[in-house]
Amino acid sequence: MKLTSYWLDTAPPFSGASKEPVAGKADVVVIGAGLTGASAALALAKKGARVVVCEAETVGNAASGRNGGMCNNGFAQDYAAMSAKLGRERATQLYHSFDAGVDLVERLVREEGIDCSFARTGKLKLAAKPEHFDKLRRTQELLAAEADPQTRIVSPADLPAELGSRRYFGGMIFEKSAGMHVGRFVTGLAEAAARRGAQFHQHTPVVGLRRASGGGHEVVTPRGRLHADQVLIASGISGVGPLGWFRRRIVPVGAFIIVTEPLGVDVLDRILPRRRMATDTKNLVNYFRITPDNRLLFGGRARFAVSNPRSDLKSGVILQRALAEVFPELAKVRIDYCWGGMVDMTRDRLPRAGERNGVHYSMGYSGHGTQMSTYMGAVMAEVMGGRPELNPWKDFDWPAIPGHFGPPWFLPLVGAWYRLQDRLH
C-alpha cells in the first residue's frame, strides 16, 4: 500500500518548470501552483501578462492533487438553508457559479487537450438516514424550481438501479456533475500556462511580501526576489510565508482517502452501475467513485486531525471499515493507496476571494474546490484586470475565528461535535 496520492502517483510529472532565475519584474506573481494558481496563470498569460508562479512544493502537491477528483456542482450546504440565509436570488447566483466552474473545467480540458478522463457522469447524494431523504426531497423541489432543473430524486425503491448497497435510504442526482483524473488535470493546466509563457518555480516558497517603495510589491523567496505589479495568493493552507491574516480565518481540516486494487467490470456494474460521483449526507461525510482505471476511491472525514503518515494510516483503517459497511462484498479487497490532505475550511464553508492591502487572494473552498478553484483562478485574472464585479464572493465579510492563532487545537472538539450530530440527527 502506497502512502501517497493515487492522482499524483499516476499523473505525469510537470515538465514546464522554469529554468530562469527568480529575479526581475513580473506583471503578476501568483503564490501557489494548485488549481487556482494554474488557472489564473493560464488566464493571465492568455492576456499577454508576464506571470511568475511561486510554489513551495510541486505543481498540484497540496489539496489540488489530494482530493476525490470530483468536479461537482452544488453547495456543500443545503440549498434551502442557503436560500433562507442569503435570499433565493443570491443563493441561486452562487449556485450557478459552481455550475460555471464545471463548465469551465470541461472547456479547458477540450481547448487545451488535457488527457484527464473528464466525464459528466453526475453526482449521487445519498441519504444516510430516512429523515435525510425527506430533507433531500424538499431541497430538490426547491432546486428544480429555482436553480437546477437537472436534479432529480431517487426513491429508496429505485436506488438499486444507482447503487449496489443497502446502507442508504434514497438520494438525489445532480446531472451536471463530473469526475476526472485531477492529477492529470492540474498538471495539464500548468503545462498549458507554461506553454503560453508563464514561469513556474517549484520548491520556491514565498517567505516575504511587502509593498515596494515605487509601487507594486516585493516578493521574497529563498531563491531570489521579484518585483510584481500585482500579487495573487492562491495557497489557502500554506504554513509558509507571511500569511498569518489568512491562517486566522481558515481551519485546515484533514481529509483522507483510500483506493482499492483494480476491480472487475462486473463488480463495478453492481456497486456503481452509472459511475456517479457519490457522497452522503452525514456531517462526517463519506464519498466514493470509480477511478479511470477501475478502482474504487473511498474517502471522507475519517478523523478531525492533521495529515501525516501515522494519521493517514489510522484514518485508512477507519475508512476500510466504512467501505465494508457500504459495500460488504469489498470487505477483503486489497487497498493500494492511502493518503491524506488538508482542506482549507472556512466557518461557513464558503470560499473567500478579494483584495487586502493591495494583494489579491482566492481560497477557502472547503472541500468543494475542484471546480470552484479553477473557476476562481480565471475570475481573479479578470478582477485584477479591472473587473471586480465578476467576483461572486466580493461582498462576504471574513472575520477571524476566535481563539485560532496557530495550529487548530480545537479539531478534536469539532470532530466530537459532528459525531454527536450524526448520531442525533
Side-chain angles (χ1 to χ4, degrees):
M1 183 174 69
K2 294 185 177 181
L3 294 179
T4 188
S5 165
Y6 161 83
W7 304 119
L8 297 176
D9 191 54
T10 58
F14 176 60
S15 65
S18 176
K19 296 179 175 59
E20 297 293 322
V22 182
K25 295 183 178 181
D27 295 321
V28 182
V29 167
V30 178
I31 303 175
L35 288 167
T36 304
S39 176
L42 176 58
L44 289 162
K46 284 181 177 179
K47 293 175 176 292
R50 181 172 186 267
V51 184
V52 176
V53 183
C54 294
E55 165 57 45
E57 298 294 338
T58 56
V59 166
N61 180 71
S64 295
R66 296 177 180 274
N67 55 70
M70 298 181 179
C71 189
N72 293 334
N73 69 313
F75 293 123
Q77 305 87 338
D78 174 65
Y79 175 78
M82 292 298 295
S83 293
K85 179 181 179 180
L86 302 174
R88 288 190 181 180
E89 182 177 354
R90 185 76 168 116
T92 299
Q93 177 192 21
L94 294 176
Y95 186 96
H96 287 161
S97 70
F98 283 86
D99 290 350
V102 182
D103 292 343
L104 177 61
V105 171
E106 184 176 42
R107 186 169 72 251
L108 289 172
V109 168
R110 182 179 63 251
E111 291 176 353
E112 303 300 334
I114 301 174
D115 177 15
C116 65
S117 303
F118 179 92
R120 290 208 190 226
T121 53
K123 176 178 75 173
L124 175 61
K125 189 164 188 177
L126 295 159
K129 294 183 178 182
E131 57 267 32
H132 292 186
F133 178 70
D134 294 335
K135 185 177 180 180
L136 283 179
R137 185 166 50 195
R138 293 192 299 271
T139 292
Q140 191 277 329
E141 289 175 358
L142 185 60
L143 261 179
E146 299 288 338
D148 192 351
Q150 290 180 258
T151 57
R152 59 185 174 87
I153 283 292
V154 181
S155 70
D158 292 335
L159 191 58
E162 292 283 348
L163 181 72
S165 173
R166 297 181 179 180
R167 170 65 184 81
Y168 298 104
F169 302 88
M172 178 166 59
I173 290 174
F174 297 73
E175 293 286 0
K176 299 175 188 175
S177 295
M180 63 179 171
H181 190 302
V182 72
R184 290 181 176 273
F185 177 65
V186 67
T187 301
L189 205 57
E191 299 279 12
R195 286 195 300 270
R196 286 171 172 78
Q199 289 185 13
F200 283 76
H201 295 285
Q202 300 186 118
H203 305 293
T204 307
V206 170
V207 296
L209 179 62
R210 51 183 170 265
R211 291 285 188 106
S213 58
H217 307 268
E218 185 182 22
V219 181
V220 183
T221 81
R223 299 176 56 199
R225 299 174 180 236
L226 291 158
H227 180 275
D229 292 335
Q230 294 178 301
V231 172
L232 172 64
I233 299 176
S235 180
I237 55 172
S238 176
V240 179
L243 306 179
W245 189 88
F246 299 100
R247 292 191 194 104
R248 288 207 61 203
R249 288 155 174 80
I250 284 179
V251 178
V253 176
F256 304 94
I257 295 175
I258 56 176
V259 173
T260 71
E261 64 184 307
L263 304 174
V265 174
D266 58 330
V267 176
L268 302 181
D269 288 345
R270 287 197 300 273
I271 63 176
L272 276 171
R274 302 186 189 279
R275 307 301 192 264
R276 308 277 193 199
M277 308 292 107
T279 183
D280 66 27
T281 55
K282 295 185 297 183
N283 288 297
L284 296 178
V285 63
N286 284 131
Y287 50 88
F288 46 92
R289 57 159 297 184
I290 306 302
T291 67
D293 60 349
N294 291 342
R295 304 169 186 267
L296 179 70
L297 177 150
F298 194 95
R301 309 279 184 267
R303 299 164 61 245
F304 269 68
V306 298
S307 173
N308 57 53
R310 184 178 179 184
S311 181
D312 294 354
L313 279 173
K314 288 182 178 180
S315 300
V317 171
I318 295 170
L319 289 173
Q320 279 186 276
R321 290 201 295 264
L323 168 61
E325 180 183 349
V326 175
F327 299 114
E329 69 175 294
L330 302 182
K332 301 298 184 181
V333 72
R334 188 182 75 233
I335 304 300
D336 283 352
Y337 290 89
C338 173
W339 76 91
M342 303 306 293
V343 174
D344 53 339
M345 195 80 70
T346 61
R347 289 182 72 182
D348 59 7
R349 295 189 296 166
L350 291 174
R352 292 296 190 275
E355 182 181 351
R356 179 180 180 272
N357 293 338
V359 174
H360 293 85
Y361 62 89
S362 184
M363 59 187 71
Y365 304 114
S366 302
H368 282 63
T370 303
Q371 76 288 55
M372 185 51 65
S373 57
T374 306
Y375 180 65
M376 287 308 300
V379 166
M380 293 309 292
E382 296 294 329
V383 169
M384 289 186 287
R387 302 196 64 190
E389 74 278 3
L390 296 181
N391 178 8
W393 314 105
K394 64 183 183 299
D395 297 327
F396 282 76
D397 63 354
W398 200 9
I401 298 170
H404 181 30
F405 297 98
W409 55 268
F410 44 80
L411 281 185
L413 300 176
V414 175
W417 169 255
Y418 279 135
R419 280 190 290 272
L420 176 63
Q421 295 306 303
D422 280 336
R423 285 198 295 269
L424 295 178
H425 304 291

